[in-house]
Structure formats: structure tokens, C-alpha cells
Amino acid sequence: MKNAAFKSGLVLACLVGVAAGIGGYTFIYARGASYLTNDARACANCHIMDDHYSAWIQSSHRSVATCNDCHTPKGFIGKYATKANNGFWHSFAFTTGRYPDPIRITPRNRRIAEAACLKCHAPLVAEIQGSHAGPDKLSCIRCHSTVGHPR
Amino acid sequence: NIMERKQEARNPFYRVVEITDETSDPEIWGKDFPFQYDGYKRTVDMVRTRFGGSEAFPRTPSEADPRSIVARSKLEQDPRLKTMWAGYAFSRDYRERRGHAYMLEDQTYTERQQVAQPGTCLHCHASVYAPYKKLGGGDLIKGFEKMNQMSFKEARAMVTHPIACIDCHDPKTMELRVTRPGFLEGIKALKAHQGVKDYDVNKMATRQEMRSYVCGQCHVEYYFKGQEKRLVYPWQNGLKVDEIYAYYQEVNHKDWVHGETGAPMLKAQHPEFEMYNQGIHARSGVACADCHMPYKREGAFKVSDHHVRSPLLNINRACQTCHKWPEEELRERVNIIQERTYQLRGLAMNALMDFIKDIKAARTSGASEAQLAKPYELQRRAQFYLDFIESENSMGFHAPQEAARILGESIDFCRQGQMSLRPSAAAAVSLK
Amino acid sequence: NIMERKQEARNPFYRVVEITDETSDPEIWGKDFPFQYDGYKRTVDMVRTRFGGSEAFPRTPSEADPRSIVARSKLEQDPRLKTMWAGYAFSRDYRERRGHAYMLEDQTYTERQQVAQPGTCLHCHASVYAPYKKLGGGDLIKGFEKMNQMSFKEARAMVTHPIACIDCHDPKTMELRVTRPGFLEGIKALKAHQGVKDYDVNKMATRQEMRSYVCGQCHVEYYFKGQEKRLVYPWQNGLKVDEIYAYYQEVNHKDWVHGETGAPMLKAQHPEFEMYNQGIHARSGVACADCHMPYKREGAFKVSDHHVRSPLLNINRACQTCHKWPEEELRERVNIIQERTYQLRGLAMNALMDFIKDIKAARTSGASEAQLAKPYELQRRAQFYLDFIESENSMGFHAPQEAARILGESIDFCRQGQMSLRPSAAAAVSLK
Ligand SMILES: [Ca+2]
Ligand SMILES: [Ca+2]
């Protein structure tokens, strides 16, 4: 709650250009530009993503899906909107060191990851998905939470 | 070939025949859903595991019982069960469960039928959905009530199939549904107890819950209430053994009078749903179907394996998606849990035998009803607790610690019962 | 700030002072490893959880015991413990454990010291590595043997610190090492039993094993062997309670004679390592340190949280790395396991009280030694089993089903013991 208010306050501050301060520096320093690519190493620029990176390297998906394939939604806009959002908050969190440890996926990004599975596997699961929709849609992560990076 | 797969992919529920709410015959459903039907038919397989699965025992068919193969007799494996259930039909014939394909014939031909049984029995051994509705003139519950009050023989003539597609699925959407009055009413009472009013499982349950509820239609403790022989699931106070026992005390029900002691007894039957709900998997949102009907790749699709069976015969699919341990390791983990349960179950069984012996002795040496009141209550309780694990079919796996706790209490009840029949160590001397 | 973060990442082990194999004082180590030292110091914190952690009780310091704060007395929480341990030092003073920082003073001032205690005690309550070597002229085992045979007072004068860095770490490499003779010999006997010859833990254990073995140096069942008061971990037949009991029967050891019944008793103490090894976490390769010293991010690199404490005070780091459940849910899961254990422990405790009462009664009404032989053996066994859970500090969490199984057996032993003292239900009448 408090945190949320704090975040929004900060978002405002950025608009005023403070972001150019910390955010901007981090952006360049942490090779922010690469954040916009699909290269998984981009994510690993941050040591705190190292664990996931090295786990991903060993995952069944390393050769078929990069971080972004699972952590950004379909479509250009959504993709870059999410990147901007995560990019900013991750940079911010990283710089200030304010984040839970171990890192917990946010509900939003969890939904994105769930949806990502269907980008590639929709046909396969069409039958088990059946006519179910909305909250009753099958959660893949319930059984396959480690496909991207084994624990 | 690829072209076809693409076809399939676009409309997974491509139908070749029409299925209505009266279509009981699974073979017809199978035309539209061949993968599931194939699995369903395979429930005839009989394969053993250490404590589960089933083993085929040949027998010479007779007029009364045409079966040429039956499952192993539990009574012969452990004769103490005959003493435990003395005076009750279960002491005549009690076998290992086997696949769904056998449910109707096993029920029809069990020697337990030598005691007159009501039509109620069919609720969980046949595809009764259509028959109930027919009998009730479109009203499921009415039909249920009518069939309960028939004799088993009479009712048996009205059903043809063991559990079939229609018992778990809505023919239009293929979504899961609960068709069993016993569960509809039982879960309603349970939810009411938890503060949820007028719970309608088919409207209010999540899809994931339904993946267990369809099994909870039958794999539960039950009793026949009153003259109408209404099937009731005793969940009014909750699903724990203590809460169920409390319920039976309140309604003061007894299934039979013990043949050797004269105590008013309760029989526990297959409380898989109740025990599962005390376990870590239920808390983790893992459903019965996750383990007993795991997904299976068929061509371009994943489908639910309708060959419902012991997960230990299918560890790779049933467990390894969630547990990345080697198959052998997973089998060993189950084994450790089951062996521990089995060991404690043995001790509880011994305690019960000692207790029954003592009550008999006390009666022959002329103990009064008053003196027997306490021992009777303790036998009733001890035995119900033990039976709750004995008749539960996972040998403790569904809720390992809870199973051990229940057996521990059962032992305590037996031994205290024995004590109540003996003079105190000190008093012993001053006795006349 | 980011600049620093990248810096830190590069040189984790930056030394400012030199540390030798004689450096007992943790403050010096702390100069090189400030993060770990800070955590280490925080073990003075006292915070309660439902069954663990610890609570600060103020007391007025006295000449004999200068402590102004102690942990809660378990004897006052449950007076049945006084009867259980009648005639033994534990019936005078037994408190909740608290942080490592207190180990030396709590041992020094416990009222159990009013019974003469040997120097052996210090093995697990002080940084004895350097003192042992000094005393043994460079030979750890010699020093150990010498100190065992001193009086506590004498030995106490030779140590200064509670457990310190040097007791778990090699000062050069900072790798973990076992420094405790009790464990070195205990694990060797255990491995020999498992068919591994001449096991040398510091050479042959994996890193992950060491993350539990360093704790197993002290959080184990033990006894003092013979006149030399040698500290021995009774693992020759295995780590299960049954195997440990069998060992004590073989060597026919007793800790004391029960004050109220006269039975030759055994005391179980904190078998965390033994119970943990019966649990699913141990099987899954999860180490004590994973839960009690989880990694913690300090700037750019991860350090082990040296604030060793109840994981329930640190669920996010201790559990959520592996379990993606909300904190509240994880707490509730532990709670369910612990409450179940606690309930059964209560029943076992009652059974034991009944049993002790009966033995006393039998003795006063003049039972012979012969008649008491069986009851004595059963009390010894029942009580050791109960104590194995009572004195284990996770209230069942480390191995939920095993804890319940052990309590169930304990109940059975007690009740059978009572039975053995009473005439049979039938015989009762024909008694004179
Ligand atoms: Ca019943
Ligand atoms: Ca001991």
C-alpha cells in the first residue's frame, strides 16, 4: 500500500525528469538498450537475474524461447509497454535495492507468462482447454512452473 | 499426417455423432472422443503395486457368480478383518478394489449380496444418471429416492453400464459436472457448515475443484439413512474423522451390532476424498485427476488419461511434471509413507483384537450392560478410526501424518477400553 | 548504488586481518567477514513462534545465577514433565532453547548444574576446538578425552566463547569442517553400519552434506559412556528411534533410575539431526542451513544468514526460494503439522502419567521385581520414544509422519505396560 503510493509518486517524479538521473544512468550502464532486444543475456546484465539466466541455459526452452518470449505479451505494443514497465521498475528496484528476495513474480507478469505458453502451445492444449475460459482456463504453471528455469 | 492434425487442432471437439443427456452408452461418446474412450476401456487391466493396483485371481464361474476372475480377498490376506467386522456382511467377502470397468459386476456378485441390499448401492457402481432421471420423471433427486427404496435386484435391472462418460460430463460442453445426489447434498451440508449458504456445486465450484469433486461423488465415507435407505455423506461437521464420528454420535446411527462383543458399530468405507482433503496435495490445489488421470500426449493433442488407475503405474506422467525426481526415488517415497502407515495399522489391528477378546471375556464372566457401556463406546470409536485408514485405499499416501495420527488414537481407544474392563493394579488385591 | 554493486560482485573475500587455527574470537573473524559476523551476533534476539523461537523472561539475578533474562520454563508449561523425569536433573530445570549467543551461559547457570556435571558438556556449548587442541597438545581427540574427565567447573575455566566461526569453518579456505569428536566418531559408526569403511567426514562429505553435518555436531541425541564420560552418539545401528533404542539395549546403558517407579531410564535430547533425516526434506537434499541460514543478498552477492533461528521468522528467504506459496499459507502448513504432533504428544503424555501411576500402585501393593521387569522395560521404551519427540525442537515438522508414528507406538507401549500390571478381565473375578 505505502509502497504503491511511493511508486506512483516516483513515476511522477520521473516524468519530471528525475528518471533521466538514476533511471537514465542505469539504463545506459546496465546496457539498457539491449533490454529492448530478445537476447536473454540482456536480462543477465543484472547479476540478480543471473540465477534465472543460468537456470534458463539448462532448461528445455533455452533453444526455443528467450526470456522475452515468456515474459512479454503478444504483439509489438504490449511487448514494449511491458518492457518499459519492467525495465523501469527493475532498474529502479535494482538501483535502490528495494525488492523482495528471493524475487517474486508479480501477478501481472505471472499472467503474461501463463499466456505466453499458449503463444507456442495453443494447438497442443486446445482439447484439454476445451470450452473453458476466464479464470477456469487451465493454468500451465501449476504443473510446468520450471520449464523456463528449473529450480 | 500433418494436414489432418491441423484439422483436428482447429476444432478439437469435432463430432461425428450427436450425444444427448440420455446417452448412457460410452461407446457412442467414444465415437466423438476416441482417445478418452480408449483409455476408459483400459480400466479392465489388472496390475499390482505393493499396496494398490489389483491382482487377477482366477475362479471357476458358478450359477450365482459367473465371474472367472476376481480381485484378491483382503479377508484371506488378514483374517483379523473377519473378527473386526464379525456379524456384518463385510466379514463374508471383502476384496481389493480394481478398475472402473468392474464396478458393476463386482457389486452384483459380491457375497455381501447374500444379505439383502438396497437399490441405493447402485449410486456409485453404475451409470445411474439417465436411469435416475427416467425414474424421477425428469427429476434426478426423485429418481434417486425411488431407487434407494427398491431392492438391489429390482434396481439392478434398470441399469446397464458401470460409470460412464455421462456421469462426469455435460454432453454439450464436455465440461465436468456432478451427477450424484449423495455428493450434491453432502458438499452442500459441508459448505453450509463452513458458512457458505445454498452451495450448488455445478454452479459454484471452480474447474480445478471439479477435477476432484467428480471423484468425490463415490470415493467417500457414506451410510444409509433411515427406512428410505437414503444415501448420506456424513459431512455436516466437517471431513475429519473426528468430525464424522461426532456426526454419527449426534444422529446416533449404527450400521450393525458386533457379532462377538454386541457393541453398536460403524463401518467406514473408502474415505479417499476425506483423507485427501487432509493432505498437502489438496492444500496445494492438486486434484485427484492430476495424479489418477494425468495428461497424455496423443498425436497433436494432450488429453486426460482416462485409464484411471494407480499413479504408481504411471509415475512419469502422474508425478514427474511436478516432482523432478527419478521414478525410482518417487516410488520409494511413496513406499516409505505406506510402509510406515502399514506398520502402525498392524499395531492398531492387534490392539483391537486384544480389546475384542477382553470384551468377550468380560461378557462371559457376566459383566453388566452398565459395565459394558464404556467399552462398547470405545470399541465403536477405535474401530471406526482404524477402519477409516484400513478402508482408505492409498495406505496413508493421501495424508501421511493424518493417517498416522488417526491410527495412534485408535490404539489409545482400544487400550483404554481394555483398561476399563480390568480392576486397577492396586484394587486387584482387594478384589472379591 | 550500482557502482558499488559491481564492485562487491568482484571480490567477495577481501581480508583485512589474518586468521589462524587458534583464533577463537569471532570478533576478529568478523573484521574479514562483517556480514556473517553481524548475523552471528543477532542470535541474541528473542522472538517467539507458536512452538519455537524463544521468549524473554526477566528474573532477578543472583549470586549463583547472574542472568537477568532466561527462556521460558518448559517444566512450568507442562508439569507432567516433572513426573516424566522424576529423579533426574531435567526435573529441576528445563527451558526453551534460545539463540546460539546464550549457549554457554545457559549451560553454566542451569539448575541442572546442581547435580555434578562433567566437562563433556562443553562439547556442544562452547567454542572448544582451540581449547581441545591446546589441552591435547595439538591432538583434538586427546584434548576431548581429557576435558570429558574434568569437572564442569574445571573445564568451564578453559573456554571463553559460545560456538564461534572456528567451530564450523576452516580459517584458510572458509570451507565448512566438522570439529566435534562426537560427530566425527558418530557418523563414522553410522557409515560403517551402512557399509562404508573408515569414513572421514571432512574428507568424504559433499558440500551440501556439510551444510547439515555442521549442525549435526550438536543437534543430536547423545549419552556419556562409562567412567571416562566419553560423549557418544548412539548411531551404530542407524538413526531411527528404534535403532537407537536397540543400541542402548545392547550396551545396556541407563541414564538414571526413575524417581517414582524405579525403572532404569534413558533420556533423549534434541534429536533434530536424527529426525530431520527421516523427513522428506533430507531425502530431497535440503540442508539445515538451507532453512535456518538461508542465503541473503548483501549488496551484490549472497551470504548465508548467520542469524541462525526459527525459519518461521524468516519465511520469505527460508522457504519461498523453493515454495512459491504465500507466507501465510506456508506458516499455516507448518502449523497444521505441529498442532497434529502436539495433540498426539498430549495423548502420549497422558498415557505415560497413567502408566507411572500404575507402577507406583503395583509397587506399594507389593509387586515383586519379577512382576515389575516387563513394566519397567515398557516404561523405559515408551518414555524414550515420547522424549524423542518431546525433546526434538521442531514439534514434528522435520519429519511429520515419523513423529506421529513414534508417538503412536509410545502410547501403545504405555497402555500395554498398564495392562501387564492388571489381572485379565476374566481372571479378575477368580482373584484372591
Ligand atoms: Ca459408512
Ligand atoms: Ca540421551
Side-chain angles (χ1 to χ4, degrees):
Chain A
M1 185 64 251
K2 210 163 138 283
N3 193 8
F6 178 74
K7 280 192 177 183
S8 47
L10 209 121
V11 174
L12 203 107
C14 314
L15 296 180
V16 192
V18 172
I22 354 154
Y25 171 56
T26 309
F27 186 84
I28 299 152
Y29 174 86
R31 307 205 201 80
S34 61
Y35 196 103
L36 302 176
T37 74
N38 272 338
D39 184 349
R41 266 166 295 143
C43 306
N45 282 342
C46 280
H47 49 76
I48 91 127
M49 294 286 102
D50 287 354
D51 297 358
H52 289 84
Y53 180 78
S54 41
W56 170 74
I57 288 291
Q58 299 158 19
S59 80
S60 58
H61 283 71
R62 78 190 160 284
S63 51
V64 297
T66 65
C67 315
N68 285 330
D69 289 318
C70 294
H71 291 292
T72 57
K74 267 214 190 95
F76 185 86
I77 309 286
K79 181 167 179 176
Y80 288 94
T82 303
K83 284 187 173 219
N85 180 305
N86 288 352
F88 174 77
W89 282 117
H90 297 179
S91 308
F92 172 71
F94 183 73
T95 312
T96 58
R98 307 163 121 268
Y99 54 83
D101 178 23
I103 296 167
R104 314 276 290 131
I105 195 162
T106 56
R108 177 170 185 276
N109 283 344
R110 208 170 196 283
R111 281 196 302 276
I112 290 172
E114 277 280 8
C117 314
L118 299 178
K119 285 193 225 165
C120 307
H121 298 294
L124 179 79
V125 297
E127 181 149 359
I128 56 176
Q129 206 50 276
S131 56
H132 291 284
D136 268 0
K137 268 181 122 206
L138 200 59
S139 159
C140 314
I141 297 176
R142 193 163 66 75
C143 297
H144 299 296
S145 72
T146 59
V147 288
H149 25 69
R151 240 167 247 131
Chain B
N1 97 10
I2 302 243
M3 217 40 227
E4 273 168 25
R5 300 230 176 295
K6 282 257 160 85
Q7 277 306 328
E8 287 171 4
R10 255 185 241 99
N11 49 1
F13 292 175
Y14 172 72
R15 312 247 183 165
V16 292
V17 299
E18 206 229 341
I19 303 167
T20 75
D21 210 26
E22 280 77 47
T23 317
S24 288
D25 186 351
E27 194 171 348
I28 299 173
W29 292 60
K31 293 204 167 55
D32 287 350
F33 307 103
F35 297 139
Q36 289 80 5
Y37 181 59
D38 290 349
Y40 169 88
K41 280 188 303 185
R42 297 204 39 212
T43 59
V44 294
D45 296 1
M46 290 180 76
V47 183
R48 274 227 63 64
T49 62
R50 169 82 173 84
F51 291 104
S54 59
E55 198 169 344
F57 279 73
R59 65 180 291 280
T60 35
S62 69
E63 190 48 55
D65 181 354
R67 293 175 300 175
S68 58
I69 283 176
V70 292
R72 188 206 298 201
S73 164
K74 286 195 179 180
L75 298 177
E76 278 156 34
Q77 267 174 275
D78 187 347
R80 291 174 297 184
L81 291 172
K82 293 185 184 164
T83 311
M84 178 171 173
W85 296 319
Y88 202 45
F90 275 84
S91 63
R92 301 184 176 204
D93 186 11
Y94 176 52
R95 302 182 171 276
E96 278 183 337
R97 80 274 92 183
R98 48 179 172 162
H100 280 168
Y102 299 100
M103 63 171 70
L104 190 48
E105 58 174 280
D106 282 345
Q107 180 179 58
T108 308
Y109 300 116
T110 177
E111 289 166 41
R112 300 212 288 278
Q113 288 289 1
Q114 289 164 15
V115 180
Q117 302 288 6
T120 320
C121 296
L122 290 161
H123 179 282
C124 301
H125 285 259
S127 185
V128 289
Y129 177 73
Y132 275 169
K133 289 196 76 172
K134 189 137 163 286
L135 198 60
D139 182 330
L140 185 75
I141 301 299
K142 269 215 184 58
F144 162 67
E145 289 165 340
K146 280 197 180 153
M147 198 179 285
N148 292 345
Q149 300 177 41
M150 298 179 174
S151 72
F152 180 81
K153 218 168 170 323
E154 228 183 320
R156 177 68 183 77
M158 301 180 164
V159 304
T160 347
H161 304 284
I163 183 176
C165 322
I166 195 171
D167 297 297
C168 297
H169 288 286
D170 173 317
K172 296 229 162 8
T173 63
M174 286 311 287
E175 282 179 19
L176 293 175
R177 67 172 174 187
V178 168
T179 58
R180 293 304 192 265
F183 189 86
L184 290 169
E185 295 173 357
I187 194 81
K188 191 171 173 183
L190 177 63
K191 292 287 182 175
H193 167 71
Q194 295 165 350
V196 184
K197 291 207 174 37
D198 313 313
Y199 185 79
D200 177 339
V201 63
N202 285 318
K203 288 208 185 63
M204 296 154 89
T206 66
R207 175 192 185 177
Q208 185 59 12
E209 286 172 332
M210 289 301 278
R211 290 170 55 86
S212 291
Y213 288 171
V214 288
C215 316
Q217 295 186 102
C218 304
H219 288 268
V220 298
E221 154 61 2
Y222 69 92
Y223 80 110
F224 297 155
K225 187 177 176 190
Q227 287 319 311
E228 320 74 43
K229 298 282 178 200
R230 189 187 197 85
L231 179 65
V232 174
Y233 299 172
W235 299 342
Q236 205 168 285
N237 303 334
L239 295 176
K240 292 215 189 80
V241 66
D242 326 76
E243 295 160 335
I244 292 176
Y245 185 75
Y247 167 87
Y248 282 129
Q249 292 303 85
E250 285 163 21
V251 301
N252 149 22
H253 167 78
K254 70 163 179 289
D255 288 310
W256 88 102
V257 169
H258 198 275
E260 301 194 358
T261 67
M265 305 305 295
L266 294 171
K267 179 75 182 78
Q269 288 101 337
H270 35 73
E272 277 89 52
F273 182 74
E274 293 88 339
M275 284 299 289
Y276 149 86
N277 271 290
Q278 308 314 317
I280 198 77
H281 284 103
R283 267 201 93 82
S284 305
V286 183
C288 314
D290 291 345
C291 300
H292 290 280
M293 299 180 67
Y295 291 120
K296 177 171 177 224
R297 173 121 195 199
E298 292 277 9
F301 296 135
K302 274 171 74 174
V303 300
S304 300
D305 186 348
H306 280 62
H307 179 192
V308 176
R309 60 180 154 161
S310 163
L312 297 188
L313 299 172
N314 192 18
I315 289 178
N316 166 290
R317 294 191 177 101
C319 320
Q320 286 180 315
T321 17
C322 295
H323 300 288
K324 306 285 177 203
W325 310 109
E327 193 162 322
E328 265 328 301
E329 168 61 13
L330 282 162
R331 179 172 287 101
E332 187 49 26
R333 288 182 182 197
V334 175
N335 196 47
I336 288 169
I337 291 168
Q338 294 185 316
E339 287 292 349
R340 241 190 232 125
T341 310
Y342 186 65
Q343 187 210 345
L344 213 49
R345 171 227 176 247
L347 296 180
M349 198 60 82
N350 288 340
L352 180 65
M353 294 304 116
D354 294 348
F355 186 19
I356 289 177
K357 199 141 114 288
D358 280 5
I359 303 181
K360 280 165 66 181
R363 283 176 97 202
T364 41
S365 52
S368 69
E369 279 305 311
Q371 289 168 307
L372 289 172
K374 190 172 177 207
Y376 276 171
E377 211 260 297
L378 282 163
Q379 186 196 352
R380 174 179 159 98
R381 188 163 192 184
Q383 197 167 313
F384 184 69
Y385 277 52
L386 170 54
D387 210 355
F388 210 79
I389 304 307
E390 170 60 24
S391 67
E392 205 276 346
N393 286 279
S394 72
M395 190 52 82
F397 177 82
H398 292 146
Q401 192 195 16
E402 175 72 351
R405 182 219 126 208
I406 292 172
L407 290 170
E409 294 213 26
S410 177
I411 291 172
D412 202 18
F413 294 136
C414 286
R415 299 305 188 185
Q416 288 192 42
Q418 287 184 270
M419 222 77 64
S420 72
L421 287 165
R422 297 166 182 227
S424 73
V429 183
S430 59
L431 251 185
K432 144 97 286 49
Chain C
N1 119 352
I2 282 228
M3 219 44 225
E4 271 168 28
R5 303 217 185 297
K6 285 241 165 175
Q7 284 302 335
E8 289 163 349
R10 282 199 209 90
N11 48 2
F13 283 8
Y14 172 65
R15 308 247 183 168
V16 291
V17 298
E18 204 228 342
I19 302 168
T20 75
D21 209 26
E22 280 77 47
T23 317
S24 288
D25 186 351
E27 194 172 348
I28 298 171
W29 293 59
K31 294 205 166 53
D32 288 351
F33 307 106
F35 295 138
Q36 290 81 5
Y37 182 57
D38 289 350
Y40 169 88
K41 280 188 302 184
R42 295 202 41 211
T43 59
V44 295
D45 295 1
M46 291 180 76
V47 183
R48 325 208 23 75
T49 62
R50 169 83 172 84
F51 290 104
S54 59
E55 198 169 344
F57 280 74
R59 66 180 290 281
T60 33
S62 67
E63 190 48 52
D65 180 353
R67 293 175 300 173
S68 58
I69 285 176
V70 292
R72 185 196 312 190
S73 164
K74 286 195 178 179
L75 298 177
E76 277 156 33
Q77 268 175 275
D78 187 346
R80 291 174 296 183
L81 292 171
K82 293 185 187 167
T83 311
M84 179 171 173
W85 295 319
Y88 201 46
F90 275 84
S91 64
R92 302 185 176 203
D93 185 13
Y94 176 51
R95 303 183 170 276
E96 278 181 338
R97 81 274 93 187
R98 49 179 172 162
H100 280 170
Y102 299 99
M103 62 170 71
L104 190 47
E105 57 173 281
D106 282 345
Q107 179 179 60
T108 308
Y109 301 115
T110 177
E111 290 167 40
R112 300 211 289 276
Q113 289 289 359
Q114 290 164 15
V115 180
Q117 302 288 6
T120 321
C121 296
L122 290 162
H123 179 282
C124 301
H125 285 260
S127 184
V128 289
Y129 177 72
Y132 275 170
K133 290 195 76 172
K134 191 137 161 284
L135 198 60
D139 183 331
L140 185 75
I141 300 299
K142 270 218 184 56
F144 162 67
E145 288 165 343
K146 280 198 181 153
M147 198 180 284
N148 291 345
Q149 301 180 39
M150 298 177 174
S151 73
F152 181 80
K153 216 165 171 326
E154 230 183 319
R156 177 66 181 81
M158 301 180 163
V159 304
T160 344
H161 305 283
I163 182 176
C165 322
I166 194 170
D167 297 298
C168 298
H169 289 286
D170 174 319
K172 297 233 158 4
T173 63
M174 283 315 284
E175 276 174 18
L176 291 176
R177 66 171 174 187
V178 168
T179 58
R180 293 305 190 263
F183 190 85
L184 291 169
E185 294 173 358
I187 194 81
K188 189 169 174 186
L190 176 64
K191 293 288 182 174
H193 168 71
Q194 295 165 351
V196 184
K197 290 208 175 35
D198 313 311
Y199 186 78
D200 177 340
V201 63
N202 285 318
K203 290 207 183 65
M204 297 154 91
T206 66
R207 174 182 169 188
Q208 186 61 10
E209 286 172 332
M210 289 302 278
R211 291 168 53 86
S212 289
Y213 288 172
V214 289
C215 315
Q217 296 187 102
C218 304
H219 288 267
V220 298
E221 155 62 1
Y222 70 90
Y223 80 110
F224 297 154
K225 188 176 176 189
Q227 285 322 310
E228 319 73 43
K229 297 285 177 196
R230 188 186 199 86
L231 179 65
V232 174
Y233 298 172
W235 300 342
Q236 205 169 285
N237 303 334
L239 294 176
K240 292 214 188 82
V241 66
D242 324 77
E243 296 160 334
I244 291 176
Y245 184 76
Y247 168 86
Y248 282 128
Q249 292 302 85
E250 286 162 21
V251 302
N252 155 14
H253 168 78
K254 72 164 178 293
D255 288 309
W256 89 102
V257 169
H258 197 276
E260 301 194 358
T261 66
M265 305 305 296
L266 294 170
K267 179 75 183 78
Q269 289 101 335
H270 35 72
E272 277 90 52
F273 182 73
E274 294 88 338
M275 284 299 290
Y276 148 87
N277 271 290
Q278 307 315 317
I280 198 76
H281 284 103
R283 266 203 94 83
S284 305
V286 183
C288 314
D290 289 328
C291 299
H292 290 280
M293 299 181 68
Y295 287 116
K296 178 175 175 210
R297 204 174 286 284
E298 292 283 5
F301 54 97
K302 291 182 169 180
V303 303
S304 303
D305 186 348
H306 280 62
H307 179 191
V308 175
R309 60 181 155 162
S310 163
L312 297 188
L313 299 172
N314 190 19
I315 289 179
N316 171 255
R317 294 203 181 88
C319 320
Q320 290 180 322
T321 341
C322 300
H323 300 289
K324 303 273 171 202
W325 310 109
E327 197 162 318
E328 264 327 301
E329 168 63 13
L330 283 162
R331 180 171 287 104
E332 186 50 25
R333 287 180 182 198
V334 175
N335 194 48
I336 288 169
I337 291 169
Q338 295 185 315
E339 287 291 350
R340 239 189 232 126
T341 310
Y342 186 66
Q343 186 209 345
L344 214 48
R345 172 226 176 247
L347 297 180
M349 197 60 81
N350 289 337
L352 179 64
M353 293 304 115
D354 294 348
F355 186 20
I356 289 176
K357 200 141 112 287
D358 279 6
I359 303 181
K360 280 165 65 182
R363 285 176 96 200
T364 41
S365 51
S368 68
E369 279 305 310
Q371 288 169 308
L372 289 173
K374 192 175 176 206
Y376 276 171
E377 211 262 298
L378 283 163
Q379 185 195 352
R380 174 179 159 98
R381 188 163 191 184
Q383 196 166 315
F384 184 69
Y385 277 52
L386 169 54
D387 210 357
F388 210 78
I389 304 307
E390 170 62 22
S391 66
E392 205 277 345
N393 286 280
S394 71
M395 190 52 81
F397 177 82
H398 292 145
Q401 192 194 17
E402 174 72 351
R405 181 218 125 209
I406 292 172
L407 290 170
E409 294 212 28
S410 178
I411 291 172
D412 202 17
F413 295 137
C414 285
R415 299 304 189 187
Q416 288 193 44
Q418 286 185 273
M419 221 78 64
S420 72
L421 286 165
R422 298 167 184 227
S424 76
V429 183
S430 58
L431 249 186
K432 144 99 292 43

